[in-house]
Structures are given as structure tokens and as C-alpha cells.
Amino acid sequence: MDLAAVTGSLSSIGYGLAAIGPGIGVGIVFAAYITSTARQPESAGLTRTYMFLGFAIVEALALFGLVLGFIWSK
């Protein structure tokens, strides 16, 4: 199969592959929160703030990837 014969937008496939990173990042953020809360339950209030901050940053990077996929597809 000739690569020049491939038509269509590959940005959706690229974003699908790029979404794996934020998915893993969210898992790492919540795993770290659960581990730290299990080790020191009294610090749950402090680490909860960092958990939400880390979650927001990881999801913002995923949204940047989505937007860049739309920008580059034009």
C-alpha cells in the first residue's frame, strides 16, 4: 500500500494516542494521593488541594492536545 494513497485526517488518531498520557497522569496523581493519605491520614486536607491542582494541570494538557489537533488539521 502506498502511503500517498492514505487520505483523511490523522489528527484524531494522534489525539487518541496523546490521550493515553493524561490518562496515565491522572492515575498517578490519584494513586499518590491515596498512598499519602493511607500513610498519614491527618494530612489528607493538605494533600487533597495538591491532588486537585495536579488533576487540573493534567487535564489542561489534554485539552491543549485536543485544541492543537484541531488547529493542525486545517
Side-chain angles (χ1 to χ4, degrees):
M1 184 167 130
D2 186 20
L3 290 178
V6 176
T7 60
S9 175
L10 294 177
S11 63
S12 59
I13 294 173
Y15 178 69
L17 292 174
I20 294 171
I24 293 171
V26 167
I28 290 172
V29 166
F30 281 102
Y33 172 71
I34 291 169
T35 302
S36 66
T37 303
R39 289 178 183 231
Q40 282 188 318
E42 64 272 5
S43 71
L46 178 66
T47 55
R48 187 176 303 123
T49 304
Y50 294 127
M51 177 194 65
F52 285 126
L53 183 64
F55 175 74
I57 290 172
V58 168
E59 287 299 319
L61 291 175
L63 290 175
F64 285 146
L66 178 65
V67 169
L68 287 175
F70 282 121
I71 290 173
W72 285 338
S73 67
K74 291 185 177 187

Short mmCIF file of all heavy atoms in Angstrom, two decimals:
data_model
loop_
_atom_site.label_atom_id
_atom_site.label_comp_id
_atom_site.label_asym_id
_atom_site.label_seq_id
_atom_site.Cartn_x
_atom_site.Cartn_y
_atom_site.Cartn_z
N MET A 1 0.85 -1.18 0.00
CA MET A 1 0.00 0.00 0.00
C MET A 1 0.89 1.24 0.00
O MET A 1 1.82 1.35 0.78
CB MET A 1 -0.89 0.00 1.23
CG MET A 1 -1.86 1.14 1.26
SD MET A 1 -3.10 0.86 2.52
CE MET A 1 -3.03 2.40 3.35
N ASP A 2 0.57 2.13 -0.87
CA ASP A 2 1.34 3.37 -1.00
C ASP A 2 0.90 4.37 0.06
O ASP A 2 -0.31 4.56 0.28
CB ASP A 2 1.13 3.95 -2.40
CG ASP A 2 2.03 5.14 -2.67
OD1 ASP A 2 3.04 5.29 -1.95
OD2 ASP A 2 1.71 5.90 -3.58
N LEU A 3 1.85 4.99 0.75
CA LEU A 3 1.49 5.96 1.80
C LEU A 3 0.82 7.20 1.23
O LEU A 3 0.07 7.87 1.93
CB LEU A 3 2.72 6.35 2.60
CG LEU A 3 3.29 5.27 3.50
CD1 LEU A 3 4.54 5.79 4.21
CD2 LEU A 3 2.27 4.81 4.50
N ALA A 4 1.07 7.51 -0.02
CA ALA A 4 0.43 8.67 -0.64
C ALA A 4 -1.06 8.44 -0.86
O ALA A 4 -1.82 9.38 -1.02
CB ALA A 4 1.12 9.01 -1.95
N ALA A 5 -1.49 7.18 -0.85
CA ALA A 5 -2.89 6.86 -1.06
C ALA A 5 -3.72 7.04 0.21
O ALA A 5 -4.94 6.98 0.16
CB ALA A 5 -3.04 5.44 -1.58
N VAL A 6 -3.08 7.24 1.35
CA VAL A 6 -3.81 7.42 2.60
C VAL A 6 -4.42 8.81 2.62
O VAL A 6 -3.71 9.81 2.44
CB VAL A 6 -2.89 7.22 3.81
CG1 VAL A 6 -3.62 7.49 5.11
CG2 VAL A 6 -2.33 5.81 3.82
N THR A 7 -5.71 8.88 2.79
CA THR A 7 -6.39 10.18 2.84
C THR A 7 -7.12 10.31 4.16
O THR A 7 -7.35 9.33 4.87
CB THR A 7 -7.40 10.32 1.68
OG1 THR A 7 -8.37 9.27 1.79
CG2 THR A 7 -6.70 10.25 0.35
N GLY A 8 -7.52 11.53 4.48
CA GLY A 8 -8.25 11.78 5.70
C GLY A 8 -7.38 12.45 6.74
O GLY A 8 -6.19 12.69 6.53
N SER A 9 -7.98 12.74 7.85
CA SER A 9 -7.27 13.44 8.91
C SER A 9 -6.73 12.44 9.92
O SER A 9 -7.47 11.63 10.48
CB SER A 9 -8.22 14.42 9.61
OG SER A 9 -7.57 15.01 10.69
N LEU A 10 -5.46 12.50 10.14
CA LEU A 10 -4.83 11.63 11.14
C LEU A 10 -4.76 12.30 12.50
O LEU A 10 -4.23 11.72 13.44
CB LEU A 10 -3.44 11.23 10.67
CG LEU A 10 -3.38 10.36 9.42
CD1 LEU A 10 -1.94 10.10 9.04
CD2 LEU A 10 -4.11 9.06 9.65
N SER A 11 -5.29 13.53 12.61
CA SER A 11 -5.21 14.23 13.89
C SER A 11 -6.05 13.54 14.96
O SER A 11 -5.70 13.57 16.14
CB SER A 11 -5.64 15.68 13.73
OG SER A 11 -6.99 15.76 13.34
N SER A 12 -7.14 12.90 14.57
CA SER A 12 -7.96 12.21 15.56
C SER A 12 -7.22 10.99 16.11
O SER A 12 -7.31 10.68 17.30
CB SER A 12 -9.30 11.81 14.97
OG SER A 12 -9.10 10.96 13.85
N ILE A 13 -6.48 10.31 15.27
CA ILE A 13 -5.68 9.18 15.74
C ILE A 13 -4.55 9.69 16.64
O ILE A 13 -4.25 9.09 17.67
CB ILE A 13 -5.13 8.37 14.55
CG1 ILE A 13 -6.28 7.72 13.80
CG2 ILE A 13 -4.13 7.33 15.02
CD1 ILE A 13 -5.88 7.05 12.52
N GLY A 14 -3.95 10.81 16.24
CA GLY A 14 -2.88 11.39 17.05
C GLY A 14 -3.38 11.81 18.42
O GLY A 14 -2.71 11.59 19.42
N TYR A 15 -4.57 12.42 18.46
CA TYR A 15 -5.09 12.81 19.77
C TYR A 15 -5.47 11.59 20.59
O TYR A 15 -5.30 11.59 21.80
CB TYR A 15 -6.30 13.73 19.64
CG TYR A 15 -6.84 14.08 21.01
CD1 TYR A 15 -6.11 14.88 21.87
CD2 TYR A 15 -8.04 13.56 21.47
CE1 TYR A 15 -6.55 15.16 23.14
CE2 TYR A 15 -8.49 13.83 22.74
CZ TYR A 15 -7.75 14.64 23.56
OH TYR A 15 -8.18 14.90 24.82
N GLY A 16 -5.97 10.58 19.95
CA GLY A 16 -6.29 9.35 20.68
C GLY A 16 -5.06 8.75 21.34
O GLY A 16 -5.11 8.30 22.48
N LEU A 17 -3.95 8.77 20.62
CA LEU A 17 -2.70 8.29 21.20
C LEU A 17 -2.19 9.25 22.27
O LEU A 17 -1.62 8.82 23.28
CB LEU A 17 -1.65 8.10 20.11
CG LEU A 17 -1.92 6.98 19.12
CD1 LEU A 17 -0.89 7.01 18.00
CD2 LEU A 17 -1.93 5.64 19.81
N ALA A 18 -2.39 10.55 22.05
CA ALA A 18 -1.92 11.54 23.03
C ALA A 18 -2.77 11.53 24.30
O ALA A 18 -2.31 11.98 25.35
CB ALA A 18 -1.94 12.93 22.41
N ALA A 19 -3.98 11.02 24.24
CA ALA A 19 -4.85 10.97 25.42
C ALA A 19 -4.40 9.90 26.41
O ALA A 19 -4.84 9.90 27.56
CB ALA A 19 -6.29 10.74 25.01
N ILE A 20 -3.55 9.01 25.96
CA ILE A 20 -3.04 7.97 26.87
C ILE A 20 -2.20 8.59 27.98
O ILE A 20 -2.29 8.20 29.14
CB ILE A 20 -2.23 6.92 26.08
CG1 ILE A 20 -3.14 6.18 25.12
CG2 ILE A 20 -1.51 5.96 27.01
CD1 ILE A 20 -2.42 5.28 24.15
N GLY A 21 -1.40 9.61 27.63
CA GLY A 21 -0.53 10.27 28.62
C GLY A 21 -1.30 10.90 29.76
O GLY A 21 -1.00 10.64 30.94
N PRO A 22 -2.31 11.76 29.48
CA PRO A 22 -3.08 12.32 30.58
C PRO A 22 -3.84 11.28 31.38
O PRO A 22 -4.02 11.42 32.59
CB PRO A 22 -4.05 13.28 29.88
CG PRO A 22 -3.35 13.68 28.64
CD PRO A 22 -2.58 12.45 28.22
N GLY A 23 -4.26 10.20 30.73
CA GLY A 23 -4.93 9.13 31.47
C GLY A 23 -4.01 8.49 32.48
O GLY A 23 -4.39 8.24 33.63
N ILE A 24 -2.78 8.26 32.07
CA ILE A 24 -1.79 7.71 33.00
C ILE A 24 -1.45 8.73 34.07
O ILE A 24 -1.30 8.39 35.25
CB ILE A 24 -0.53 7.28 32.22
CG1 ILE A 24 -0.84 6.09 31.32
CG2 ILE A 24 0.62 6.95 33.16
CD1 ILE A 24 0.26 5.74 30.36
N GLY A 25 -1.37 10.02 33.68
CA GLY A 25 -1.06 11.08 34.65
C GLY A 25 -2.11 11.20 35.73
O GLY A 25 -1.79 11.36 36.91
N VAL A 26 -3.38 11.11 35.35
CA VAL A 26 -4.46 11.19 36.35
C VAL A 26 -4.38 9.99 37.29
O VAL A 26 -4.55 10.13 38.51
CB VAL A 26 -5.83 11.26 35.64
CG1 VAL A 26 -6.96 11.03 36.61
CG2 VAL A 26 -6.00 12.60 34.96
N GLY A 27 -4.08 8.83 36.75
CA GLY A 27 -3.93 7.65 37.60
C GLY A 27 -2.80 7.79 38.59
O GLY A 27 -2.92 7.41 39.76
N ILE A 28 -1.69 8.38 38.16
CA ILE A 28 -0.55 8.58 39.05
C ILE A 28 -0.88 9.60 40.14
O ILE A 28 -0.53 9.42 41.31
CB ILE A 28 0.69 9.01 38.24
CG1 ILE A 28 1.19 7.84 37.40
CG2 ILE A 28 1.80 9.52 39.16
CD1 ILE A 28 2.28 8.20 36.42
N VAL A 29 -1.59 10.67 39.77
CA VAL A 29 -1.96 11.71 40.75
C VAL A 29 -2.85 11.12 41.84
O VAL A 29 -2.61 11.32 43.04
CB VAL A 29 -2.65 12.90 40.05
CG1 VAL A 29 -3.33 13.80 41.05
CG2 VAL A 29 -1.66 13.68 39.23
N PHE A 30 -3.88 10.38 41.44
CA PHE A 30 -4.79 9.82 42.44
C PHE A 30 -4.14 8.70 43.25
O PHE A 30 -4.42 8.55 44.44
CB PHE A 30 -6.08 9.35 41.79
CG PHE A 30 -7.02 10.48 41.48
CD1 PHE A 30 -7.14 10.97 40.20
CD2 PHE A 30 -7.76 11.07 42.48
CE1 PHE A 30 -7.98 12.03 39.91
CE2 PHE A 30 -8.61 12.13 42.22
CZ PHE A 30 -8.72 12.61 40.93
N ALA A 31 -3.26 7.93 42.62
CA ALA A 31 -2.55 6.88 43.36
C ALA A 31 -1.63 7.49 44.42
O ALA A 31 -1.54 6.98 45.54
CB ALA A 31 -1.74 6.01 42.41
N ALA A 32 -0.98 8.60 44.07
CA ALA A 32 -0.11 9.26 45.05
C ALA A 32 -0.93 9.84 46.20
O ALA A 32 -0.50 9.79 47.36
CB ALA A 32 0.69 10.36 44.37
N TYR A 33 -2.12 10.38 45.89
CA TYR A 33 -2.97 10.91 46.95
C TYR A 33 -3.45 9.79 47.88
O TYR A 33 -3.41 9.95 49.11
CB TYR A 33 -4.18 11.64 46.36
CG TYR A 33 -5.18 12.03 47.40
CD1 TYR A 33 -4.90 13.06 48.30
CD2 TYR A 33 -6.39 11.38 47.52
CE1 TYR A 33 -5.81 13.43 49.27
CE2 TYR A 33 -7.31 11.74 48.49
CZ TYR A 33 -7.01 12.76 49.36
OH TYR A 33 -7.90 13.11 50.33
N ILE A 34 -3.87 8.70 47.32
CA ILE A 34 -4.35 7.58 48.14
C ILE A 34 -3.21 7.03 49.01
O ILE A 34 -3.41 6.75 50.20
CB ILE A 34 -4.95 6.48 47.26
CG1 ILE A 34 -6.26 6.98 46.64
CG2 ILE A 34 -5.19 5.19 48.03
CD1 ILE A 34 -6.81 6.08 45.55
N THR A 35 -2.03 6.92 48.45
CA THR A 35 -0.89 6.42 49.20
C THR A 35 -0.51 7.37 50.34
O THR A 35 -0.28 6.94 51.47
CB THR A 35 0.32 6.23 48.27
OG1 THR A 35 -0.04 5.34 47.24
CG2 THR A 35 1.51 5.69 49.03
N SER A 36 -0.48 8.67 50.05
CA SER A 36 -0.10 9.62 51.10
C SER A 36 -1.16 9.71 52.19
O SER A 36 -0.83 9.86 53.36
CB SER A 36 0.16 11.00 50.50
OG SER A 36 -1.04 11.54 49.98
N THR A 37 -2.42 9.60 51.82
CA THR A 37 -3.49 9.64 52.82
C THR A 37 -3.48 8.37 53.66
O THR A 37 -3.77 8.42 54.86
CB THR A 37 -4.86 9.82 52.14
OG1 THR A 37 -4.81 11.01 51.35
CG2 THR A 37 -5.97 9.95 53.15
N ALA A 38 -3.15 7.24 53.06
CA ALA A 38 -3.08 6.00 53.83
C ALA A 38 -1.91 6.01 54.81
O ALA A 38 -2.02 5.47 55.91
CB ALA A 38 -2.94 4.80 52.88
N ARG A 39 -0.82 6.67 54.42
CA ARG A 39 0.34 6.73 55.33
C ARG A 39 0.17 7.75 56.44
O ARG A 39 0.60 7.52 57.56
CB ARG A 39 1.61 7.04 54.54
CG ARG A 39 2.05 5.91 53.67
CD ARG A 39 3.27 6.29 52.88
NE ARG A 39 3.64 5.21 51.99
CZ ARG A 39 4.84 4.69 51.92
NH1 ARG A 39 5.81 5.17 52.68
NH2 ARG A 39 5.10 3.72 51.09
N GLN A 40 -0.43 8.90 56.10
CA GLN A 40 -0.65 9.94 57.10
C GLN A 40 -2.07 10.50 56.93
O GLN A 40 -2.28 11.47 56.19
CB GLN A 40 0.35 11.08 56.94
CG GLN A 40 1.70 10.77 57.48
CD GLN A 40 2.58 12.00 57.46
OE1 GLN A 40 2.57 12.74 56.48
NE2 GLN A 40 3.32 12.21 58.54
N PRO A 41 -3.03 9.91 57.58
CA PRO A 41 -4.42 10.36 57.42
C PRO A 41 -4.65 11.81 57.85
O PRO A 41 -5.54 12.47 57.33
CB PRO A 41 -5.22 9.40 58.30
CG PRO A 41 -4.35 8.22 58.50
CD PRO A 41 -2.95 8.72 58.42
N GLU A 42 -3.85 12.32 58.75
CA GLU A 42 -4.05 13.70 59.22
C GLU A 42 -3.66 14.74 58.18
O GLU A 42 -4.03 15.90 58.29
CB GLU A 42 -3.29 13.95 60.53
CG GLU A 42 -1.79 13.86 60.43
CD GLU A 42 -1.25 12.46 60.62
OE1 GLU A 42 -2.03 11.50 60.76
OE2 GLU A 42 -0.01 12.33 60.63
N SER A 43 -2.91 14.33 57.16
CA SER A 43 -2.52 15.28 56.12
C SER A 43 -3.45 15.23 54.90
O SER A 43 -3.11 15.80 53.86
CB SER A 43 -1.08 15.00 55.67
OG SER A 43 -1.04 13.81 54.93
N ALA A 44 -4.58 14.60 55.02
CA ALA A 44 -5.48 14.44 53.88
C ALA A 44 -6.00 15.78 53.37
O ALA A 44 -6.14 15.97 52.17
CB ALA A 44 -6.66 13.54 54.26
N GLY A 45 -6.26 16.71 54.27
CA GLY A 45 -6.76 18.02 53.85
C GLY A 45 -5.75 18.79 53.02
O GLY A 45 -6.09 19.43 52.03
N LEU A 46 -4.50 18.72 53.41
CA LEU A 46 -3.44 19.43 52.69
C LEU A 46 -3.15 18.78 51.34
O LEU A 46 -3.03 19.46 50.32
CB LEU A 46 -2.16 19.47 53.53
CG LEU A 46 -0.95 20.14 52.90
CD1 LEU A 46 -1.22 21.63 52.72
CD2 LEU A 46 0.27 19.91 53.75
N THR A 47 -3.07 17.47 51.33
CA THR A 47 -2.74 16.79 50.08
C THR A 47 -3.91 16.77 49.10
O THR A 47 -3.69 16.62 47.91
CB THR A 47 -2.27 15.35 50.34
OG1 THR A 47 -3.26 14.66 51.10
CG2 THR A 47 -0.95 15.34 51.07
N ARG A 48 -5.13 16.94 49.59
CA ARG A 48 -6.29 17.00 48.69
C ARG A 48 -6.19 18.21 47.77
O ARG A 48 -6.52 18.13 46.58
CB ARG A 48 -7.58 17.05 49.49
CG ARG A 48 -8.82 16.95 48.63
CD ARG A 48 -10.10 16.91 49.45
NE ARG A 48 -10.07 15.81 50.39
CZ ARG A 48 -10.21 15.95 51.71
NH1 ARG A 48 -10.38 17.14 52.24
NH2 ARG A 48 -10.19 14.90 52.50
N THR A 49 -5.70 19.32 48.28
CA THR A 49 -5.51 20.52 47.45
C THR A 49 -4.52 20.25 46.33
O THR A 49 -4.75 20.61 45.18
CB THR A 49 -5.00 21.68 48.33
OG1 THR A 49 -5.92 21.89 49.40
CG2 THR A 49 -4.86 22.94 47.51
N TYR A 50 -3.42 19.60 46.66
CA TYR A 50 -2.41 19.28 45.65
C TYR A 50 -2.95 18.26 44.65
O TYR A 50 -2.57 18.28 43.48
CB TYR A 50 -1.13 18.78 46.30
CG TYR A 50 -0.44 19.83 47.13
CD1 TYR A 50 -0.09 19.60 48.44
CD2 TYR A 50 -0.15 21.07 46.57
CE1 TYR A 50 0.54 20.58 49.19
CE2 TYR A 50 0.48 22.05 47.31
CZ TYR A 50 0.83 21.80 48.62
OH TYR A 50 1.45 22.76 49.34
N MET A 51 -3.82 17.37 45.11
CA MET A 51 -4.40 16.39 44.21
C MET A 51 -5.25 17.08 43.15
O MET A 51 -5.13 16.80 41.96
CB MET A 51 -5.25 15.38 44.97
CG MET A 51 -5.95 14.39 44.06
SD MET A 51 -7.25 13.44 44.85
CE MET A 51 -8.44 14.70 45.25
N PHE A 52 -6.11 18.00 43.58
CA PHE A 52 -6.96 18.70 42.62
C PHE A 52 -6.15 19.59 41.69
O PHE A 52 -6.46 19.72 40.51
CB PHE A 52 -8.05 19.51 43.34
CG PHE A 52 -9.15 18.65 43.89
CD1 PHE A 52 -9.50 18.74 45.23
CD2 PHE A 52 -9.83 17.77 43.09
CE1 PHE A 52 -10.51 17.96 45.75
CE2 PHE A 52 -10.84 16.98 43.60
CZ PHE A 52 -11.18 17.07 44.92
N LEU A 53 -5.09 20.19 42.20
CA LEU A 53 -4.22 21.00 41.37
C LEU A 53 -3.51 20.15 40.31
O LEU A 53 -3.47 20.52 39.13
CB LEU A 53 -3.19 21.73 42.24
CG LEU A 53 -2.24 22.67 41.53
CD1 LEU A 53 -3.02 23.84 40.92
CD2 LEU A 53 -1.21 23.19 42.50
N GLY A 54 -2.99 19.02 40.71
CA GLY A 54 -2.35 18.11 39.75
C GLY A 54 -3.33 17.58 38.73
O GLY A 54 -3.02 17.48 37.54
N PHE A 55 -4.55 17.26 39.17
CA PHE A 55 -5.58 16.79 38.24
C PHE A 55 -5.93 17.86 37.22
O PHE A 55 -6.05 17.57 36.03
CB PHE A 55 -6.82 16.38 39.04
CG PHE A 55 -7.99 15.99 38.19
CD1 PHE A 55 -7.99 14.77 37.52
CD2 PHE A 55 -9.07 16.81 38.04
CE1 PHE A 55 -9.06 14.40 36.72
CE2 PHE A 55 -10.15 16.47 37.25
CZ PHE A 55 -10.14 15.24 36.59
N ALA A 56 -6.05 19.10 37.67
CA ALA A 56 -6.40 20.20 36.76
C ALA A 56 -5.29 20.43 35.74
O ALA A 56 -5.57 20.67 34.55
CB ALA A 56 -6.67 21.47 37.56
N ILE A 57 -4.05 20.35 36.17
CA ILE A 57 -2.93 20.58 35.24
C ILE A 57 -2.87 19.46 34.20
O ILE A 57 -2.69 19.72 33.00
CB ILE A 57 -1.61 20.70 36.01
CG1 ILE A 57 -1.59 22.01 36.79
CG2 ILE A 57 -0.41 20.62 35.08
CD1 ILE A 57 -0.43 22.15 37.73
N VAL A 58 -3.06 18.22 34.61
CA VAL A 58 -3.02 17.10 33.67
C VAL A 58 -4.16 17.21 32.66
O VAL A 58 -3.99 16.99 31.46
CB VAL A 58 -3.06 15.76 34.43
CG1 VAL A 58 -3.31 14.60 33.49
CG2 VAL A 58 -1.77 15.55 35.19
N GLU A 59 -5.34 17.56 33.13
CA GLU A 59 -6.48 17.69 32.21
C GLU A 59 -6.32 18.89 31.29
O GLU A 59 -6.76 18.85 30.15
CB GLU A 59 -7.78 17.80 33.00
CG GLU A 59 -8.20 16.50 33.63
CD GLU A 59 -8.44 15.41 32.61
OE1 GLU A 59 -9.05 15.69 31.55
OE2 GLU A 59 -8.02 14.28 32.86
N ALA A 60 -5.69 19.96 31.77
CA ALA A 60 -5.45 21.12 30.89
C ALA A 60 -4.50 20.73 29.76
O ALA A 60 -4.70 21.16 28.61
CB ALA A 60 -4.87 22.27 31.70
N LEU A 61 -3.51 19.92 30.06
CA LEU A 61 -2.61 19.46 29.00
C LEU A 61 -3.35 18.60 27.98
O LEU A 61 -3.07 18.67 26.78
CB LEU A 61 -1.44 18.69 29.60
CG LEU A 61 -0.45 19.52 30.40
CD1 LEU A 61 0.60 18.62 31.04
CD2 LEU A 61 0.21 20.56 29.53
N ALA A 62 -4.31 17.81 28.43
CA ALA A 62 -5.10 17.01 27.50
C ALA A 62 -5.95 17.91 26.61
O ALA A 62 -6.08 17.66 25.41
CB ALA A 62 -6.00 16.05 28.27
N LEU A 63 -6.49 18.97 27.16
CA LEU A 63 -7.29 19.90 26.35
C LEU A 63 -6.43 20.66 25.37
O LEU A 63 -6.86 20.95 24.25
CB LEU A 63 -8.06 20.86 27.25
CG LEU A 63 -9.20 20.22 28.05
CD1 LEU A 63 -9.82 21.24 28.99
CD2 LEU A 63 -10.24 19.66 27.13
N PHE A 64 -5.20 21.00 25.76
CA PHE A 64 -4.28 21.64 24.83
C PHE A 64 -4.01 20.72 23.64
O PHE A 64 -3.95 21.16 22.50
CB PHE A 64 -2.96 22.01 25.49
CG PHE A 64 -3.03 23.20 26.39
CD1 PHE A 64 -2.25 23.26 27.53
CD2 PHE A 64 -3.87 24.26 26.12
CE1 PHE A 64 -2.31 24.36 28.37
CE2 PHE A 64 -3.94 25.36 26.95
CZ PHE A 64 -3.15 25.41 28.07
N GLY A 65 -3.85 19.43 23.91
CA GLY A 65 -3.64 18.47 22.84
C GLY A 65 -4.82 18.38 21.90
O GLY A 65 -4.67 18.27 20.69
N LEU A 66 -6.02 18.46 22.45
CA LEU A 66 -7.23 18.43 21.62
C LEU A 66 -7.31 19.66 20.74
O LEU A 66 -7.58 19.56 19.53
CB LEU A 66 -8.47 18.35 22.52
CG LEU A 66 -9.82 18.36 21.81
CD1 LEU A 66 -9.98 17.12 20.96
CD2 LEU A 66 -10.94 18.47 22.82
N VAL A 67 -7.05 20.82 21.30
CA VAL A 67 -7.10 22.07 20.54
C VAL A 67 -6.03 22.09 19.45
O VAL A 67 -6.30 22.49 18.31
CB VAL A 67 -6.97 23.28 21.48
CG1 VAL A 67 -6.77 24.57 20.71
CG2 VAL A 67 -8.19 23.38 22.37
N LEU A 68 -4.82 21.66 19.79
CA LEU A 68 -3.76 21.64 18.79
C LEU A 68 -4.08 20.68 17.66
O LEU A 68 -3.71 20.92 16.50
CB LEU A 68 -2.42 21.29 19.44
CG LEU A 68 -1.81 22.38 20.30
CD1 LEU A 68 -0.55 21.87 20.99
CD2 LEU A 68 -1.51 23.61 19.49
N GLY A 69 -4.76 19.60 17.96
CA GLY A 69 -5.18 18.68 16.90
C GLY A 69 -6.13 19.33 15.92
O GLY A 69 -6.04 19.13 14.71
N PHE A 70 -7.05 20.17 16.43
CA PHE A 70 -7.96 20.87 15.54
C PHE A 70 -7.24 21.97 14.76
O PHE A 70 -7.54 22.21 13.60
CB PHE A 70 -9.12 21.49 16.32
CG PHE A 70 -10.17 20.49 16.71
CD1 PHE A 70 -10.50 20.28 18.03
CD2 PHE A 70 -10.84 19.77 15.74
CE1 PHE A 70 -11.47 19.36 18.40
CE2 PHE A 70 -11.82 18.85 16.08
CZ PHE A 70 -12.13 18.65 17.41
N ILE A 71 -6.30 22.63 15.39
CA ILE A 71 -5.57 23.71 14.70
C ILE A 71 -4.71 23.14 13.58
O ILE A 71 -4.69 23.67 12.46
CB ILE A 71 -4.71 24.51 15.70
CG1 ILE A 71 -5.61 25.33 16.62
CG2 ILE A 71 -3.73 25.41 14.97
CD1 ILE A 71 -4.86 26.01 17.75
N TRP A 72 -4.01 22.05 13.83
CA TRP A 72 -3.12 21.49 12.83
C TRP A 72 -3.86 20.75 11.72
O TRP A 72 -3.30 20.49 10.67
CB TRP A 72 -2.12 20.55 13.47
CG TRP A 72 -1.05 21.28 14.21
CD1 TRP A 72 -0.66 22.56 14.02
CD2 TRP A 72 -0.22 20.77 15.25
NE1 TRP A 72 0.35 22.89 14.88
CE2 TRP A 72 0.63 21.81 15.65
CE3 TRP A 72 -0.13 19.56 15.88
CZ2 TRP A 72 1.58 21.65 16.64
CZ3 TRP A 72 0.80 19.40 16.87
CH2 TRP A 72 1.65 20.44 17.24
N SER A 73 -5.12 20.39 11.95
CA SER A 73 -5.86 19.65 10.91
C SER A 73 -6.32 20.57 9.79
O SER A 73 -6.72 20.09 8.74
CB SER A 73 -7.05 18.93 11.53
OG SER A 73 -8.01 19.87 11.99
N LYS A 74 -6.27 21.88 9.97
CA LYS A 74 -6.71 22.81 8.93
C LYS A 74 -5.65 23.09 7.92
O LYS A 74 -4.53 22.98 8.06
CB LYS A 74 -7.19 24.11 9.55
CG LYS A 74 -8.46 23.91 10.33
CD LYS A 74 -8.98 25.22 10.83
CE LYS A 74 -10.29 24.96 11.54
NZ LYS A 74 -10.95 26.16 11.91
#
